[in-house]
């Protein structure tokens, strides 16, 4: 894409990405919706830790693309998904940066879950 305007304007804002060594699972209403050994953990100043999953490890049959988008000055434009589990539709429970800024190319196309906004979503390391 291009260089992040956020990192240029606020050079002291820290965002760190690294691969998680353990297998990580996401459950919602008791149903496993993601199970992966290919997860990137993202730690950003002022935000909760986020886990970005490879799409191949997410049950995409449970996702419906939403019309919602948001703009992050550090990562780019996020697209959102509705998560359909247990007869519920969890609006904008998942997001993805389809074309992130260069500094965050590692999360391109990966999926992250809003576990803090949707209490039925749980993210945990598995053995």
């Amino acid at each position: 894409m291009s260089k992040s305007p956020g990192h240029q304007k606020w050079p002291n804002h820290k965002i760190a990405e690294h691969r998680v060594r353990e297998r990580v699972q996401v459950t919602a209403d008791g149903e496993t919706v993601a199970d992966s050994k290919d997860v990137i953990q993202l730690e950003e100043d002022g935000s909760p830790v986020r886990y970005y999953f490879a799409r191949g490890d997410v049950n995409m049959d449970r996702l419906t693309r939403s019309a919602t988008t948001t703009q992050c000055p550090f990562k780019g434009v996020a697209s959102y998904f509705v998560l359909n589990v247990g007869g519920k539709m969890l609006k904008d429970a998942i997001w993805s940066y389809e074309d992130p800024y260069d500094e965050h190319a590692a999360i391109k196309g990966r999926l992250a879950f809003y576990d803090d906004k949707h209490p039925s979503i749980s993210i945990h390391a598995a053995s």
Side-chain angles (χ1 to χ4, degrees):
M1 181 180 201
S2 62
K3 294 289 183 185
S4 156
H7 287 298
Q8 293 172 34
K9 188 171 182 179
W10 299 285
N12 293 328
H13 184 85
K14 303 293 182 219
I15 300 177
E17 301 164 0
H18 68 272
R19 293 212 177 259
V20 177
R21 292 180 184 193
E22 300 84 17
R23 179 174 153 212
V24 182
Q25 294 178 318
V26 178
T27 57
D29 276 354
E31 181 179 331
T32 300
V33 293
D35 188 344
S36 183
K37 290 185 178 179
D38 184 9
V39 177
I40 295 175
Q41 180 176 321
L42 189 141
E43 296 177 35
E44 179 174 2
D45 288 349
S47 296
V49 172
R50 299 296 184 191
Y51 297 91
Y52 285 80
F53 290 76
R55 285 186 189 220
D57 296 333
V58 176
N59 185 347
M60 297 299 290
D61 292 341
R62 295 284 182 198
L63 278 57
T64 306
R65 190 172 290 273
S66 163
T68 304
T69 61
T70 57
Q71 173 70 41
C72 172
F74 299 97
K75 296 181 290 291
V77 176
S79 301
Y80 289 78
F81 296 84
V82 174
L83 177 60
N84 303 291
V85 289
K88 299 177 192 167
M89 295 177 65
L90 305 179
K91 185 177 186 317
D92 299 338
I94 299 167
W95 73 92
S96 177
Y97 290 96
E98 304 297 327
D99 193 20
Y101 293 121
D102 294 346
E103 294 88 343
H104 302 289
I107 62 170
K108 181 177 182 160
R110 290 175 170 269
L111 299 167
F113 293 79
Y114 257 136
D115 56 320
D116 54 329
K117 292 188 179 181
H118 294 283
S120 64
I121 297 174
S122 176
I123 302 171
H124 54 278
S127 48

